């Protein structure tokens, strides 16, 4: 164990001794200091971050950031908070059929991991630059499917509550958590506007 852990343990054992409030506040401030560090990067598109406390112990769930397809027709980015949330963003260019233009489509999705191991989609939204085909001519099923983009939309997500839950996982205040995420360029897709 580190010296800091021994100090905290010793102070807990000596509860009958009056300890100055300034010392208690100093110890509590060190207890809540976490720093995210890059612990694994098999490639530039796949990075794993862990939260370390002042004693260099891992605290909370790992965060994995994955990006693939950067120079292709479809780019997929995911941020996984192990055992809790998955944030997903997909951007693609879909070629147009006979009466439609090319479509630039962006999809956001937030999934929560449930206690029994299942998942629940709490947010899904798709936006495009070409929401309806010209003349509304659905010449093929593919065109109809592509332009019926909102049929699976879900919005059961309170962004403030989700972010508060993530902060509670690490014991950080919202502004501290936001600073850590921005410092390491970790994106919580779908909550970007909130951060």
């Amino acid at each position: 164990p580190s010296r800091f852990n021994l100090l905290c343990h010793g102070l807990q054992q000596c509860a009958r001794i009056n300890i100055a409030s300034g010392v208690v506040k100093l110890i509590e401030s060190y207890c809540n200091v976490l720093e995210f560090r890059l612990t694994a990067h098999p490639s530039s598109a796949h990075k794993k971050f862990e939260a370390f406390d002042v004693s260099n112990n891992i605290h909370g769930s790992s965060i994995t950031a994955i990006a693939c397809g950067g120079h292709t027709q479809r780019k997929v980015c995911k941020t996984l908070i192990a055992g809790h949330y998955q944030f997903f963003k997909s951007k693609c260019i879909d070629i147009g059929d006979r009466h439609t233009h090319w479509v630039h489509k962006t999809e956001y999705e937030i999934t929560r991991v449930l206690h029994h191991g299942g998942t629940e989609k709490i947010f899904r939204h798709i936006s495009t630059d070409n929401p309806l085909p010209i003349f509304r001519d659905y010449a093929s099923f593919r065109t109809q499917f592509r332009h019926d983009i909102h049929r699976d939309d879900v919005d059961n997500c309170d962004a403030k509550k989700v972010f508060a839950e993530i902060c509670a996982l690490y014991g950080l205040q919202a502004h501290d958590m936001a600073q850590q995420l921005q410092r390491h360029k970790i994106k919580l897709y779908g909550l970007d506007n909130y951060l």
Side-chain angles (χ1 to χ4, degrees):
S2 68
R3 292 179 187 166
F4 179 73
N5 286 343
L6 289 173
L7 172 65
C8 291
H9 181 70
L11 291 175
Q12 289 172 354
Q13 297 300 321
C14 301
R16 60 182 174 269
I17 300 173
N18 290 333
I19 301 169
S21 62
V23 173
V24 172
K25 286 182 182 177
L26 180 65
I27 291 170
E28 286 176 352
S29 71
Y30 273 103
C31 288
N32 294 330
V33 172
L34 287 179
E35 179 185 4
F36 285 91
R37 291 188 218 151
L38 183 65
T39 56
H41 50 95
S43 67
S44 61
H46 188 131
K47 298 176 182 174
K48 182 177 178 184
F49 297 90
E50 301 274 0
F52 290 88
D53 63 12
V54 74
S55 302
N56 219 21
N57 298 319
I58 294 176
H59 180 82
S61 301
S62 65
I63 297 177
T64 306
I66 302 167
C68 58
H71 300 292
T72 63
Q73 194 173 356
R74 178 180 167 94
K75 180 178 181 180
V76 176
C77 303
K78 292 181 189 176
T79 302
L80 310 168
I81 299 177
H84 298 282
Y85 286 98
Q86 175 178 319
F87 301 89
F88 174 84
K89 177 183 178 184
S90 169
K91 285 184 96 171
C92 70
I93 300 171
D94 194 2
I95 57 173
D97 281 342
R98 191 166 46 122
H99 293 294
T100 59
H101 295 295
W102 285 54
V103 177
H104 297 263
K105 189 188 314 184
T106 306
E107 177 182 358
Y108 293 96
E109 187 175 299
I110 301 174
T111 306
R112 179 193 323 246
V113 177
L114 303 174
H115 295 294
H116 58 77
T119 59
E120 172 191 20
K121 191 182 300 182
I122 59 173
F123 180 77
R124 179 185 180 272
H125 177 74
I126 293 180
S127 59
T128 66
D129 63 348
N130 184 17
L132 291 171
I134 297 174
F135 307 125
R136 298 176 188 246
D137 182 8
Y138 295 111
S140 68
F141 181 74
R142 180 171 170 263
T143 308
Q144 180 180 358
F145 179 79
R146 181 174 64 224
H147 293 290
D148 190 11
I149 60 172
H150 298 294
R151 74 180 184 289
D152 292 330
D153 278 4
V154 177
D155 193 3
N156 298 330
C157 177
D158 179 1
K160 191 172 185 177
K161 183 179 174 187
V162 169
F163 192 65
E165 287 176 13
I166 293 169
C167 293
L169 287 173
Y170 301 99
L172 293 174
Q173 300 292 326
H175 65 278
D176 294 330
M177 186 70 182
Q179 276 183 339
Q180 290 285 340
L181 295 174
Q182 288 171 358
R183 181 180 305 146
H184 296 288
K185 298 178 181 164
I186 301 170
K187 304 263 187 191
L188 301 181
Y189 302 103
L191 294 184
D192 291 343
N193 294 337
Y194 177 70
L195 299 175

